[in-house]
Amino acid sequence: MQFTSEKRLDDDTLEREFTLGEISGILWTPGSAATPTPLILLGQPGGLGLRKMYPRLAARAKAAAAEGIATATIELPETGDRPVSAASKQARTDLRAALQAGEPVTDDIIDRLTLPLVDQSVPEWQATLDALLELPEIGGPVGFAGGVIAIGVRLAVVEPRIVAAGLFAGSYVPRSTFEEARRVTIPLHVLLQWDDEGNDRQMALDLFDAFASKEKTLLANMGGHTGVPQHAGEDGNRFFARHLK
Amino acid sequence: MQFTSEKRLDDDTLEREFTLGEISGILWTPGSAATPTPLILLGQPGGLGLRKMYPRLAARAKAAAAEGIATATIELPETGDRPVSAASKQARTDLRAALQAGEPVTDDIIDRLTLPLVDQSVPEWQATLDALLELPEIGGPVGFAGGVIAIGVRLAVVEPRIVAAGLFAGSYVPRSTFEEARRVTIPLHVLLQWDDEGNDRQMALDLFDAFASKEKTLLANMGGHTGVPQHAGEDGNRFFARHLK
């Protein structure tokens, strides 16, 4: 892991960009916390990329740093400046065509759109986690928050170092993610935007039901896909503070 | 309104029992808050009565007092020492018979069990509110929390002084409550115990969907009917602090 830039945000959070092979990302550490600190891996929604998501990610990072928790994010495969495979381009074209025609988005399209992203990004998250946990200032425990829900579910199944996850119940969940959900046992905090027209609400409720976790919370609010109210974000921060500190 | 007893709880909350005609209840006021204070009316589940519920009510009252908010509760009709009508006895008998036979609890039983309670208790709550708001130490705004959900919904529809409600999505919701829910527009915070076997989860989700409120939150957790986790209770307290202060 190589740090390529370093700056201190106004509230004393240290922000460092890093690269790790092909992976690029950002690490935020609390300036004044006792180290080693817990860590939250910040997932990202598909397609936007780290630059567009930066303001929201930095806001979450500052809130976590105020709790003495470090955060890190990495660019998703096929996002930002990263190359996009011909198969993924085709899947995106097929998705747009289905949406424009007002046709249902088939499981086949969802699988082709999502599963390659899951298969590639989960090992990248694990390699990033290996490197982050070697830093003296990062100790764990580790949580995963937000982003593509199929990635969060896969990580919750395969990565025992992740002890709690905050998930956003978005659209386009592969069928295989439901099967994986039945094997998730860590504490979960799931956000659902109740009036999100681009989201299949019943599917989100079914996925929440599928998780085997004894401790899981569903927090549903109004405000549309991007209108998660501030109090719901604060509730997510408290979830991680409870489980990581 | 006549106060019949007065004591100071260990954290400086003042607890006063009162009677108002046939109604009896308890008022808790913060000892050290600037007055007049906001007020939360604490509903109760059916059948248990004020004495059995006292420890939980007093705990909620102390948490509210710490936020500078007064709370009050009254004995439900046909609960505690209050007389039970022959019709209600019959409805309870029919409910037990259905449950013992493993048969569905019909809408007819639910209506006979619940609607007389709603029809009698809502005017009692309103008379209590009239009297409480005449006290110099109580100013409002006013919230309603918990208890029989059909009572909370009716109050949210008919009582304009109630500006926010915290509801518990329990069983046995009359069909008419769904119709009333479509007329509720105040901010709502709805608790649902996801794995509550005595509860019809889909009905609870349908009821949440029916509310016309632009600001409504569903908070679903594991832990069974009586196992609402502490963090969910704290979240309810924050909901009222946001809307009443």
Side-chain angles (χ1 to χ4, degrees):
Chain A
M1 174 168 281
Q2 289 201 302
F3 290 110
T4 57
S5 77
E6 171 171 332
K7 70 174 171 184
R8 212 160 266 282
L9 304 186
D10 47 5
D11 64 342
D12 204 39
T13 307
L14 180 64
E15 173 180 299
R16 283 174 285 178
E17 295 184 298
F18 63 81
T19 59
L20 180 71
E22 282 185 63
I23 307 164
S24 64
I26 307 178
L27 170 65
W28 293 272
T29 45
S32 52
T35 58
T37 67
L39 172 67
I40 302 173
L41 306 176
L42 297 180
Q44 294 180 49
L48 287 176
L50 213 161
R51 288 301 140 219
K52 281 190 191 152
M53 283 296 293
Y54 175 81
R56 274 180 274 178
L57 293 163
R60 293 205 67 165
K62 286 192 228 180
E67 295 276 356
I69 300 175
T71 47
T73 194
I74 55 175
E75 189 76 277
L76 279 176
E78 309 198 327
T79 308
D81 299 329
R82 304 187 70 179
V84 181
S85 73
S88 290
K89 284 179 186 162
Q90 185 61 53
R92 293 179 192 182
T93 302
D94 295 346
L95 172 66
R96 273 194 300 271
L99 292 176
Q100 280 170 11
E103 288 168 5
V105 178
T106 62
D107 284 334
D108 171 63
I109 294 175
I110 294 170
D111 284 356
R112 287 190 288 120
L113 201 66
T114 308
L115 293 182
L117 200 63
V118 176
D119 292 341
Q120 188 177 345
S121 69
V122 165
E124 290 184 353
W125 269 120
Q126 293 183 294
T128 303
L129 186 53
D130 290 343
L132 289 170
L133 289 174
E134 282 179 13
L135 299 174
E137 60 268 41
I138 308 292
V142 181
F144 183 87
V148 175
I149 196 166
I151 295 175
V153 172
R154 175 77 60 83
L155 273 168
V157 170
V158 303
E159 180 46 70
R161 291 173 294 185
I162 293 176
V163 301
L167 303 173
F168 186 85
S171 321
Y172 308 144
V173 179
R175 291 155 300 178
S176 55
T177 300
F178 282 83
E179 295 310 312
E180 291 174 330
R182 290 178 219 291
R183 294 157 54 201
V184 172
T185 57
I186 59 172
L188 296 178
H189 188 266
V190 181
L191 287 184
L192 168 66
Q193 287 301 92
W194 191 260
D195 57 347
D196 181 349
E197 289 185 8
N199 197 346
D200 183 334
R201 187 197 299 158
Q202 190 56 53
M203 193 200 62
L205 295 170
D206 291 345
L207 184 62
F208 179 74
D209 195 44
F211 291 118
S213 306
K214 280 188 192 149
E215 184 175 346
K216 57 183 178 182
T217 296
L218 178 73
L219 185 60
N221 284 287
M222 305 295 282
H225 187 73
T226 58
V228 177
Q230 187 186 337
H231 63 81
E234 292 165 0
D235 209 56
N237 295 340
R238 278 188 291 268
F239 166 79
F240 282 114
R242 278 203 306 278
H243 289 287
L244 301 184
K245 283 168 74 175
Chain B
M1 175 168 282
Q2 288 203 301
F3 290 110
T4 56
S5 77
E6 171 171 332
K7 70 175 172 183
R8 213 160 265 283
L9 305 186
D10 46 6
D11 65 343
D12 205 38
T13 307
L14 181 64
E15 173 179 299
R16 283 175 285 178
E17 295 185 298
F18 63 81
T19 59
L20 179 71
E22 279 186 66
I23 307 165
S24 64
I26 307 178
L27 169 65
W28 293 273
T29 45
S32 51
T35 57
T37 67
L39 171 68
I40 302 173
L41 305 175
L42 298 179
Q44 294 182 48
L48 288 176
L50 214 161
R51 288 299 142 219
K52 280 190 191 149
M53 284 296 293
Y54 175 81
R56 275 179 274 178
L57 294 164
R60 293 205 66 165
K62 286 193 229 179
E67 297 275 355
I69 299 174
T71 47
T73 194
I74 55 175
E75 189 77 276
L76 279 175
E78 309 199 329
T79 308
D81 298 330
R82 303 187 70 179
V84 181
S85 73
S88 290
K89 283 178 187 163
Q90 186 60 52
R92 293 178 191 183
T93 301
D94 295 345
L95 172 67
R96 275 193 299 271
L99 292 174
Q100 280 169 11
E103 288 167 5
V105 178
T106 63
D107 284 333
D108 170 62
I109 294 175
I110 293 171
D111 285 355
R112 287 190 287 121
L113 201 65
T114 308
L115 293 182
L117 199 63
V118 176
D119 292 340
Q120 188 177 347
S121 68
V122 165
E124 292 184 352
W125 269 120
Q126 294 183 291
T128 304
L129 185 54
D130 290 343
L132 290 170
L133 289 175
E134 282 178 15
L135 298 174
E137 60 268 42
I138 308 291
V142 181
F144 182 87
V148 175
I149 195 165
I151 295 175
V153 172
R154 173 76 62 83
L155 273 168
V157 171
V158 303
E159 180 46 70
R161 291 174 294 185
I162 293 177
V163 301
L167 302 173
F168 186 85
S171 321
Y172 309 143
V173 178
R175 289 155 301 177
S176 54
T177 299
F178 282 82
E179 296 310 312
E180 292 175 328
R182 292 178 217 290
R183 294 158 52 202
V184 173
T185 57
I186 58 172
L188 296 178
H189 190 265
V190 181
L191 287 184
L192 168 65
Q193 287 301 90
W194 192 259
D195 57 347
D196 181 348
E197 289 186 7
N199 197 346
D200 183 335
R201 187 197 300 158
Q202 189 57 51
M203 193 200 61
L205 294 170
D206 291 345
L207 184 62
F208 179 74
D209 194 45
F211 291 118
S213 306
K214 280 188 190 147
E215 184 175 347
K216 57 183 177 181
T217 297
L218 179 72
L219 184 60
N221 284 288
M222 306 294 283
H225 187 73
T226 58
V228 177
Q230 187 186 336
H231 63 81
E234 292 166 0
D235 208 57
N237 295 340
R238 278 186 291 268
F239 166 79
F240 282 113
R242 279 202 306 279
H243 289 285
L244 301 185
K245 283 167 78 176

